[in-house]
Amino acid sequence: MCGIIGYTGGADCVPILIDGLRRLEYRGYDSAGIAFLDGGGVLQVRKKEGKIISLEKEVFKEDLSGRCGIGHTRWATHGPPSDRNAHPHRAGRVAVVHNGIIENYLSLKEELESEGAEFLSETDTEIIAQSIHRFMERGRSFEDAVRETLKVLKGSFAFAALCEEEPGKIVGVRLNCPLVVGIGQGEMFLSSDIPPLLPYTRSVVFLDDGEMVVVTPDGWEVTDFQGNRREKEVHQVDWTASMAEKEGYKHFMQKEIFEQPRAILDTVTGRVDPEEGIIRVVEIPLSEEELRSVEKVFIVACGTSWHAGLVGKFLIEELARLPVEVDLGSEFRYRDPIVDEKTLCIPISQSGETADTLAALREARSKGAKAVSICNVVGSTIARESDGVFYTHAGPEIGVASTKAFTTQLVSLYILALHFASVRGLLGKDELKGHLAEILRLPLLVERVLEKDEEIASLALKYRDSRDFLYLGRGINYPIALEGALKLKEISYIHAEGYPAGEMKHGPIALIDEKMPVVVLAPSDSTYEKVFANIEEVLARKGRVIAVATEGNEEIRGKAEDVIYIPSSSRYVQPVLEAVPLQLFAYHVAVLRGTDVDQPRNLAKSVTVE
């Protein structure tokens, strides 16, 4: 999704805006630009198609400076990538940057053109700038002109605007797209995400839908769209600026893969006590009686988080004996799901702003369900709109392809499943202690898998030129086959499909030949014999088998062309250990193929519009 940055204060805004845009690159973009008031109070706009380096060269070849400005990284919706479609968009004395979609832009454009407006782009965003300018021409103040514009807009959006008439002031608006206020000393910030704020402040305010903020160097004020003042809580972000830096790694994705032992440990610390056999989940305000009354669980998520939800289904059904449905957020509300007050909804989202998952959460709550979300960003919309939230404590995840967020989601679901099972009287104290001990052992097991990085890099070199991959798994391992295939396709652009191994003969087997690598998840568990038979079937079609197997299994060496061994563990943490080598494999293949690992084409980190 596009990125917004804004600054007003005593420092030169131009380098701050450029730095903020760099910290928003991970969200995906095709062009970038800034608008600011220069020393003479004149509105300046600079924007370029392509990477931020192109914009930076354009800006710094001039002696430009100012004290108040806005910036944007664009991910094209209306109008192809180009200089003229890049943000900011200007109309007279007003400049605007915008995330989201204005659904009624065509009718508004016709109306504005009939009144003499001349449009310079193909975007829906320019509607906002032209409308604010029109109302100011009619005598409205800057803020009132924004409010009048809001009355005619339909869609999902966040935008920031400034104008020559009121230097030092930025107006920000949120409706279904995230916008965060950063509070500094004699300076204020706006951003669509937290990382751009970290070098300057940890004090933030999260806007809610239907809110507008006015920031000046002296402070901030939040109102609703009608102008009624809103009281807002100031949050302290515990992420450090260095957590959002590469710290010597070649890519953010590589860094985040290797951060997983720490991320998992941070997620479980304080929540599990294996010596006492206690789970502490104070973030869930539901009483034990309310949890015992739950008759059905819906997990809603998108992409990688949906794969985590599929693992969660196995965990919750087996341990807590509750029926679980796992829905794609983008489908849930369109099928009129059967939800009532005895339903628990578990939305999963790294950012807490995923539009489809948020819509599913709202649909479930409107039908009477309680909601406990799994999320990585404190104060995000999904977190705020849930009855409770289980934070993953993974720290900022900058790479578009999710890694540490995924594995911490898996661990969170395991802890929640154990909590539900305990409350429902299905786990004895000793059995619970065993589960918790395995969870605390997991960071060390992940460290052992990461030690295989060079071995996996060699495999990547061997298979880098393959055109297609098949990933197979059974039971709780099947969602990891889906995730492994997704990782490979989204960053290396190799076609890859994940399947339940038992479904291989129902179609995918037709694709297998001597050119087709087949990644098979074959841990030593109750499904191993069935998976081993699947390997035999692949070999009979001359397929090339890459097996992920449990240490000590020598039998599989005689069948698979290559084997990646993972430590022996409980089947409930196996998915985490299987995911890590598949992440590394996808990463190294992508690097060898020369793709943009952290910002793969056509993808955005957080999808905040449908």
Side-chain angles (χ1 to χ4, degrees), residues 211-504:
E211 290 184 339
M212 182 173 112
V213 64
V214 177
V215 297
T216 68
D218 299 322
W220 55 281
E221 181 179 68
V222 176
T223 64
D224 61 19
F225 285 180
Q226 291 72 45
N228 302 305
R229 185 181 175 87
R230 292 275 184 91
E231 295 298 323
K232 302 291 292 183
E233 180 183 357
V234 178
H235 296 266
Q236 297 299 315
V237 178
D238 60 2
W239 296 352
T240 64
S242 64
M243 291 172 74
E245 300 292 346
K246 292 180 184 175
E247 296 181 340
Y249 288 94
K250 186 175 181 179
H251 299 95
F252 281 113
M253 182 181 178
Q254 182 188 31
K255 172 177 177 272
E256 288 154 8
I257 290 171
F258 279 86
E259 285 180 332
Q260 287 175 115
R262 189 274 308 159
I264 292 169
L265 184 61
D266 286 352
T267 298
V268 305
T269 297
R271 286 172 166 155
V272 302
D273 184 342
E275 291 188 7
E276 297 294 327
I278 295 173
I279 298 174
R280 301 182 182 91
V281 282
V282 294
E283 309 98 328
I284 302 177
L286 305 183
S287 67
E288 292 190 359
E289 184 178 347
E290 286 177 303
L291 286 176
R292 281 192 289 268
S293 71
V294 170
E295 295 181 353
K296 187 175 185 179
V297 176
F298 275 101
I299 297 176
V300 290
C302 300
T304 287
S305 295
W306 181 67
H307 297 157
L310 292 172
V311 175
K313 174 182 173 70
F314 283 94
L315 294 167
I316 294 171
E317 287 191 340
E318 183 165 329
L319 294 168
R321 308 308 298 160
L322 278 168
V324 179
E325 287 193 34
V326 185
D327 265 83
L328 289 162
S330 55
E331 296 293 331
F332 181 78
R333 65 181 170 136
Y334 295 112
R335 66 177 184 83
D336 193 19
I338 301 172
V339 175
D340 59 24
E341 66 280 355
K342 293 186 178 181
T343 301
L344 177 65
C345 177
I346 304 179
I348 308 175
S349 169
Q350 187 281 138
S351 67
E353 303 291 350
T354 310
D356 291 318
T357 305
L358 177 58
L361 163 64
R362 289 170 174 169
E363 175 74 10
R365 295 198 74 200
S366 73
K367 292 176 178 288
K370 295 290 187 182
V372 174
S373 58
I374 296 176
C375 181
N376 190 42
V377 180
V378 175
S380 57
T381 306
I382 288 174
R384 295 199 306 274
E385 294 194 16
S386 300
D387 296 289
V389 55
F390 193 108
Y391 287 114
T392 53
H393 300 309
E397 188 177 69
I398 307 301
V400 167
S402 183
T403 52
K404 63 178 179 176
F406 175 65
T407 51
T408 53
Q409 287 167 356
L410 296 180
V411 173
S412 300
L413 285 160
Y414 187 14
I415 293 172
L416 286 179
L418 291 172
H419 178 60
F420 297 158
S422 180
V423 167
R424 292 166 63 83
L426 298 173
L427 279 180
K429 183 73 76 172
D430 289 342
E431 192 175 1
L432 180 58
K433 287 180 179 179
H435 283 286
L436 300 183
E438 189 73 359
I439 289 173
L440 280 183
R441 196 168 73 99
L442 185 54
L444 292 176
L445 297 181
V446 173
E447 289 275 13
R448 286 174 54 187
V449 177
L450 291 171
E451 291 171 0
K452 299 179 180 292
D453 182 47
E454 290 187 10
E455 171 190 334
I456 294 169
S458 297
L459 283 184
L461 183 62
K462 179 177 179 180
Y463 292 99
R464 59 177 287 187
D465 295 323
S466 300
R467 294 184 58 185
D468 302 278
F469 273 79
L470 188 62
Y471 285 67
L472 301 175
R474 281 183 180 263
I476 200 171
N477 308 305
Y478 148 58
I480 307 305
L482 295 178
E483 176 62 12
L486 175 63
K487 282 292 151 287
L488 186 67
K489 75 177 86 173
E490 66 184 347
I491 63 171
S492 74
Y493 316 145
I494 294 174
H495 173 251
E497 296 294 336
Y499 264 89
E503 289 293 294
M504 182 179 66

Side-chain angles (χ1 to χ4, degrees), residues 88-289:
H89 289 284
R90 177 177 183 169
R93 299 162 288 170
V94 176
V96 170
V97 293
H98 158 237
N99 292 350
I101 294 175
I102 307 302
E103 295 173 357
N104 60 334
Y105 85 102
L106 283 176
S107 61
L108 292 176
K109 185 175 183 178
E110 290 174 2
E111 179 183 341
L112 288 163
E113 285 179 326
S114 71
E115 297 176 3
E118 295 184 9
F119 284 81
L120 303 177
S121 75
E122 303 165 79
T123 70
D124 55 341
T125 302
E126 194 175 352
I127 295 291
I128 304 171
Q130 293 280 5
S131 182
I132 295 171
H133 173 65
R134 176 181 64 170
F135 286 117
M136 291 185 69
E137 289 288 289
R138 294 176 180 176
R140 299 283 189 176
S141 70
F142 179 32
E143 292 173 43
D144 286 343
V146 173
R147 289 196 175 92
E148 290 298 318
T149 296
L150 290 170
K151 291 178 182 179
V152 301
L153 299 181
K154 294 180 181 178
S156 300
F157 50 81
F159 67 80
L162 52 75
C163 77
E164 288 181 343
E165 303 285 36
E166 300 195 49
K169 179 181 289 186
I170 304 175
V171 177
V173 167
R174 171 189 170 134
L175 185 66
N176 298 323
C177 290
L179 196 63
V180 185
V181 182
I183 303 170
Q185 296 293 322
E187 57 186 7
M188 296 292 298
F189 304 82
L190 288 178
S191 180
S192 48
D193 209 345
I194 292 173
L197 307 178
L198 295 178
Y200 310 102
T201 182
R202 307 289 171 76
S203 300
V204 301
V205 173
F206 297 95
L207 294 189
D208 289 306
D209 287 338
E211 290 184 339
M212 182 173 112
V213 64
V214 177
V215 297
T216 68
D218 299 322
W220 55 281
E221 181 179 68
V222 176
T223 64
D224 61 19
F225 285 180
Q226 291 72 45
N228 302 305
R229 185 181 175 87
R230 292 275 184 91
E231 295 298 323
K232 302 291 292 183
E233 180 183 357
V234 178
H235 296 266
Q236 297 299 315
V237 178
D238 60 2
W239 296 352
T240 64
S242 64
M243 291 172 74
E245 300 292 346
K246 292 180 184 175
E247 296 181 340
Y249 288 94
K250 186 175 181 179
H251 299 95
F252 281 113
M253 182 181 178
Q254 182 188 31
K255 172 177 177 272
E256 288 154 8
I257 290 171
F258 279 86
E259 285 180 332
Q260 287 175 115
R262 189 274 308 159
I264 292 169
L265 184 61
D266 286 352
T267 298
V268 305
T269 297
R271 286 172 166 155
V272 302
D273 184 342
E275 291 188 7
E276 297 294 327
I278 295 173
I279 298 174
R280 301 182 182 91
V281 282
V282 294
E283 309 98 328
I284 302 177
L286 305 183
S287 67
E288 292 190 359
E289 184 178 347

Side-chain angles (χ1 to χ4, degrees), residues 21 62 207 292 485 492 522 591-592:
L21 295 180
E62 305 177 67
L207 294 189
R292 281 192 289 268
S492 74
V591 170
L592 289 167

Side-chain angles (χ1 to χ4, degrees), residues 26-137:
Y26 69 95
R27 293 171 68 88
Y29 71 105
D30 51 56
S31 56
I34 61 173
F36 59 96
L37 299 176
D38 65 18
V42 178
L43 180 60
Q44 302 283 346
V45 177
R46 301 290 187 275
K47 53 187 184 176
K48 293 288 290 182
E49 179 187 358
K51 295 297 184 180
I52 289 170
I53 187 66
S54 300
L55 172 67
E56 195 171 0
K57 289 177 180 177
E58 178 82 7
V59 168
F60 290 121
K61 73 181 181 183
E62 305 177 67
D63 186 18
L64 300 173
S65 65
R67 296 290 181 265
C68 178
I70 53 178
H72 192 263
T73 54
R74 178 180 188 249
W75 193 47
T77 54
H78 296 75
S82 66
D83 287 357
R84 70 183 184 126
N85 287 333
H87 297 213
H89 289 284
R90 177 177 183 169
R93 299 162 288 170
V94 176
V96 170
V97 293
H98 158 237
N99 292 350
I101 294 175
I102 307 302
E103 295 173 357
N104 60 334
Y105 85 102
L106 283 176
S107 61
L108 292 176
K109 185 175 183 178
E110 290 174 2
E111 179 183 341
L112 288 163
E113 285 179 326
S114 71
E115 297 176 3
E118 295 184 9
F119 284 81
L120 303 177
S121 75
E122 303 165 79
T123 70
D124 55 341
T125 302
E126 194 175 352
I127 295 291
I128 304 171
Q130 293 280 5
S131 182
I132 295 171
H133 173 65
R134 176 181 64 170
F135 286 117
M136 291 185 69
E137 289 288 289

